[in-house]
Amino acid sequence: MCGIVGYVGKNNAKTVVLEGLEKLEYRGYDSAGIAVVKDGALKVEKRCGKLQNLIEHLQTIDMSSDVGIGHTRWATHGEPSDINSHPHFSMDKKIAVVHNGIIENYLPLKNELIEKGYRFISETDTEVVVHLIDSMYNGDMLKTVAEVVKVLKGSYALAILDVNNPEEIICTRKDSPLVIGIGEGENIIASDIPALLKYTNKVVYLNDFEIATVRKNKVEVFDKELNAIQFEVKVVDWSYDQATKNGFPNYMLKEIHEQSSIVQKMLSSYLNGGDFTFANLFSTIDLKRYTKIHLVACGTAYHVGLQAKYFFNEISKMDAKVEIASEYRYQNNFIDDRTLAIFISQSGETLDTISALKKAKEEGATTLAITNVVGSTITREADITLYTLAGPEIAVASTKAYTSQVLVMYLFSLFLAEKIGKLERKEEKIAELKRLCELLKVENEDEIKFSEIVKKLENAKDAFFIGRGIDYYSSLEGALKLKEISYIHTEAFPAGELKHGSIALIEEGTPVIVVGTQDNLIEKTISNLKELKARGAYIISIGKKEYEDMKNSSDIFIGVDVVSQILSIFSVIVPMQLIACYTSMKKGLDVDKPRNLAKSVTVE
């Protein structure tokens, strides 16, 4: 849950590594460090806190070199501190290591190394790795690393710098992502693609247990027995400009604005008239054989799963259930060869989701991955992959990834319904989709329009979201967005459930955001709204423009257009995202990098 960048080439490694780490700040971190080989010696500098602390520290330090590795750390073993920051180095300061993941057997390894005379200065599991490399060094660093990883248990992406091999970085991975960017006279390693886009869009994705040697003019990849592997170089269709703010005050607001164009792109890519262009992916699969669908994900992607469950129930008439990935692999899910298991992950590297996918495959399910990142681990593990085509999402709080995932799931539910003979009013449903782009457009005056809501929320300690039916699923995502980036305690409830206990928390002025778009449920939703209003709640409603009673019963009413009840999420999601974004901005918080959170969660 942190960032790795390494560079070998014709440019200043310090500059390239720091630029790359800046592009990985969205992953979440609490410290940063860099190591280079200079004048035959290893130079390491580390600072706790923001990357800017390290950058300012390095302004007066000469670290010019053509090879270096850097890291942003998200603390697991040991508190955030200069000492616990990466890179970690050997006692003679000839080897440096950066590491993503968790070494599960670090404690017995540490005790063995202490008995051998090794001194530890940090509390981390990573320092074990560098001392283990040193203790097992046999004169050939590649062979040494191959032996070391056989001892390690847990997850890791490792980049190793060795003074004895000053023109080379060795890297390897298991359950934690690592990609190699192929340039001209230079090569880069990184834990995610945005770190290398400025220099190349040609990449090699390492698989579990593979080991690579990276030099400025040569990359070699080996399996765990050090047999050479013919690797494939892939071209990433993301641009460097996509990973910049383009004049917006933060990435999140930029990405909210991008949602309309992304939906247009997806519809153009996945629909050809009334045909689904991804049909060829399922050409060898009899979709009629499946009797149940499992939707498995974490966080925001889990909320996508809830929306998708509704789609499959209503459109495909299929039995679907949604499970949190970290729970799925530890329970009996009654999986068999008639189970279609769908795994949703923005990064494609979410460890809980990947582990759950592997379990489902072992038990006979057909696995479908929904992700944004070509070549990510989940795409290599799943039987089939559908991409969301959202481009790089930098803000930690997901916006465009969420919207694009929901759209992919809706398109797939239509496709599945058609294949099993359950699809009704296909032409009407396709026509509705073409209206979504307008619903997702952000108006220039939205910040002014939401200013009264922000004024009410900025000092609130608690806020509640309610809705019924599919609106409840939408309200869960709205509550999560506000919680993530404003640090306001939020909860979402089915509107009828609030009175079964949590209404006791309502007092004078408590903000409650009410989501209401379902014609068959709106009267009951309004009744719940009035129950809250009678107890002093401050009501902010997001509902269909024609709901006059809802408008008149609310302190603030945001009227939206809805193309159909089942697609209502596309009508209410932008207002909820903007409420969260503007509230965080008003509070002076870091919108894109909320505390303690990481974009890519690669530990369990």
Side-chain angles (χ1 to χ4, degrees):
M1 291 172 61
C2 32
I4 288 174
V5 180
Y7 177 81
V8 184
K10 56 193 177 186
N11 288 300
N12 188 339
K14 168 187 162 182
T15 301
V16 178
V17 168
L18 292 177
E19 286 178 345
L21 292 178
E22 284 185 310
K23 294 302 178 187
L24 298 181
E25 285 188 286
Y26 67 90
R27 293 171 70 89
Y29 72 103
D30 46 53
S31 56
I34 185 171
V36 301
V37 176
K38 182 174 176 59
D39 301 327
L42 190 68
K43 295 195 71 172
V44 180
E45 297 292 338
K46 309 188 284 186
R47 282 295 178 271
C48 186
K50 294 295 184 183
L51 178 62
Q52 189 61 33
N53 295 348
L54 177 65
I55 293 172
E56 291 174 1
H57 171 69
L58 293 175
Q59 286 177 352
T60 58
I61 297 176
D62 181 11
M63 294 190 76
S64 56
S65 172
D66 58 5
V67 57
I69 56 176
H71 189 269
T72 50
R73 176 179 186 252
W74 189 88
T76 55
H77 295 66
E79 65 182 10
S81 69
D82 290 354
I83 291 175
N84 287 332
S85 305
H86 299 215
H88 290 283
F89 47 85
S90 57
M91 290 169 61
D92 60 8
K93 220 171 183 182
K94 289 187 176 181
I95 303 168
V97 170
V98 292
H99 165 227
N100 287 353
I102 291 178
I103 306 303
E104 294 175 356
N105 62 334
Y106 86 99
L107 196 53
L109 291 173
K110 183 175 182 177
N111 291 333
E112 291 175 14
L113 288 163
I114 290 172
E115 288 181 6
K116 292 180 180 179
Y118 284 88
R119 298 189 307 275
F120 286 78
I121 60 175
S122 79
E123 303 169 86
T124 68
D125 55 335
T126 305
E127 194 179 3
V128 168
V129 178
V130 71
H131 291 324
L132 190 63
I133 292 172
D134 183 71
S135 72
M136 297 177 69
Y137 184 63
N138 56 19
D140 185 321
M141 184 56 74
L142 176 63
K143 290 181 179 178
T144 300
V145 171
E147 291 304 310
V148 166
V149 295
K150 291 176 182 178
V151 178
L152 301 179
K153 295 180 181 179
S155 61
Y156 54 80
L158 297 169
I160 299 134
L161 203 56
D162 176 16
V163 168
N164 294 322
N165 297 281
E167 299 299 322
E168 174 183 87
I169 297 172
I170 293 179
C171 55
T172 185
R173 63 153 284 182
K174 175 183 175 287
D175 295 333
S176 196
L178 205 59
V179 61
I180 303 170
I182 306 298
E184 295 182 6
E186 59 185 353
N187 292 304
I188 308 171
I189 66 168
S191 49
D192 209 351
I193 290 167
L196 48 82
L197 283 177
K198 182 176 179 179
Y199 296 92
T200 184
N201 65 345
K202 297 176 181 177
V203 302
V204 175
Y205 297 97
L206 283 188
N207 293 307
D208 279 354
F209 302 110
E210 291 180 347
I211 306 171
T213 58
V214 182
R215 305 177 188 91
K216 67 179 182 179
N217 292 311
K218 188 176 184 181
V219 171
E220 294 180 283
V221 180
F222 306 89
D223 66 16
K224 60 185 177 181
E225 303 302 329
L226 294 185
N227 300 305
I229 294 172
Q230 289 294 112
F231 55 84
E232 181 182 1
V233 178
K234 295 189 176 183
V235 177
V236 177
D237 64 356
W238 296 356
S239 70
Y240 181 70
D241 287 343
Q242 285 179 295
T244 62
K245 294 179 185 176
N246 285 345
F248 285 90
N250 51 69
Y251 283 108
M252 183 176 181
L253 194 57
K254 170 181 175 275
E255 288 157 5
I256 293 171
H257 278 257
E258 289 176 343
Q259 290 175 118
S260 178
S261 60
I262 289 166
V263 165
Q264 181 62 58
K265 175 184 176 182
M266 292 175 65
L267 293 177
S268 298
S269 297
Y270 285 146
L271 283 177
N272 181 14
D275 297 324
F276 300 95
T277 60
F278 52 76
N280 62 306
L281 296 174
F282 301 88
S283 59
T284 61
I285 296 176
D286 179 13
L287 291 171
K288 292 181 179 178
R289 69 190 295 258
Y290 300 110
T291 57
K292 52 193 170 186
I293 296 173
H294 292 180
L295 295 145
V296 185
C298 308
T300 284
Y302 173 74
H303 298 158
V304 174
L306 293 170
Q307 296 278 345
K309 172 180 180 271
Y310 193 89
F311 299 157
F312 288 121
N313 291 165
E314 296 297 314
I315 297 172
S316 309
K317 308 297 189 291
M318 289 280 289
D319 178 23
K321 75 168 186 173
V322 192
E323 294 287 346
I324 293 173
S326 56
E327 296 292 326
Y328 185 79
R329 64 183 295 212
Y330 299 112
Q331 62 191 28
N332 189 344
N333 295 294
F334 305 100
I335 299 168
D336 56 30
D337 62 0
R338 303 184 74 184
T339 304
L340 176 61
I342 303 174
F343 298 85
I344 310 167
S345 168
Q346 181 274 329
S347 66
E349 302 292 352
T350 310
L351 186 56
D352 286 322
T353 306
I354 293 167
S355 299
L357 186 154
K358 290 178 179 178
K359 177 186 177 181
K361 283 188 75 172
E362 290 171 0
E363 297 186 9
T366 299
T367 55
L368 170 62
I370 308 297
T371 189
N372 192 38
V373 182
V374 177
S376 55
T377 301
I378 201 170
T379 68
R380 300 196 293 276
E381 293 287 346
D383 297 311
I384 308 165
T385 299
L386 281 175
Y387 292 102
T388 55
L389 312 180
E393 185 179 67
I394 306 301
V396 169
S398 180
T399 53
K400 64 178 182 176
Y402 171 79
T403 307
S404 57
Q405 287 169 347
V406 172
L407 181 56
V408 165
M409 295 311 308
Y410 185 74
L411 290 170
F412 180 69
S413 70
L414 295 179
F415 171 73
L416 177 61
E418 183 176 50
K419 288 299 178 183
I420 64 177
K422 299 288 180 65
L423 184 57
E424 301 172 354
R425 301 181 291 106
K426 178 181 178 180
E427 291 183 2
E428 181 182 333
K429 287 181 168 62
I430 298 296
E432 290 170 350
L433 285 171
K434 295 176 180 177
R435 296 173 55 197
L436 294 184
C437 298
E438 288 299 315
L439 300 180
L440 291 168
K441 286 184 176 177
V442 181
E443 299 175 4
N444 292 331
E445 64 274 13
D446 271 337
E447 187 169 5
I448 298 172
K449 185 167 68 175
F450 285 96
S451 60
E452 284 300 311
I453 298 174
V454 170
K455 191 183 300 182
K456 188 65 184 177
L457 289 173
E458 65 173 315
N459 295 314
K461 293 182 179 180
D462 304 282
F464 298 96
F465 285 69
I466 65 168
R468 283 180 178 263
I470 202 168
D471 287 334
Y472 164 57
Y473 301 150
S474 300
S475 68
L476 282 166
E477 177 60 13
L480 179 60
K481 285 286 118 5
L482 185 59
K483 178 189 302 179
E484 285 180 313
I485 62 173
S486 73
Y487 314 146
I488 298 169
H489 166 250
T490 64
E491 291 187 68
F493 298 92
E497 187 65 15
L498 195 62
K499 61 182 178 287
H500 293 292
S502 296
I503 201 168
L505 298 174
I506 300 298
E507 54 190 22
E508 191 67 34
T510 302
V512 179
I513 292 89
V514 181
V515 183
T517 65
Q518 309 296 295
D519 291 345
N520 61 323
L521 295 170
I522 191 59
E523 290 183 359
K524 293 186 181 298
T525 300
I526 293 172
S527 294
N528 299 133
L529 180 163
K530 292 181 177 179
E531 292 169 353
L532 294 166
K533 186 71 174 171
R535 287 158 178 80
Y538 186 88
I539 304 295
I540 302 161
S541 292
I542 305 172
K544 290 173 73 171
K545 288 179 177 178
E546 55 266 36
Y547 290 162
E548 287 295 324
D549 193 9
M550 188 179 203
K551 179 179 180 179
N552 295 333
S553 303
S554 304
D555 294 287
I556 296 177
F557 177 74
I558 302 170
V560 296
D561 294 311
V562 178
V563 299
S564 69
Q565 292 191 176
I566 200 167
L567 293 172
S568 63
I569 180 58
F570 294 97
S571 300
V572 301
I573 189 59
V574 168
M576 291 192 296
Q577 291 170 348
L578 290 175
I579 287 171
C581 186
Y582 290 140
T583 301
S584 181
M585 290 169 65
K586 180 68 173 177
K587 295 180 73 170
L589 302 173
D590 191 334
V591 176
D592 294 327
K593 300 185 285 290
R595 66 189 182 203
N596 301 331
L597 296 181
K599 184 72 171 173
S600 182
V601 184
T602 55
V603 296
E604 288 188 81

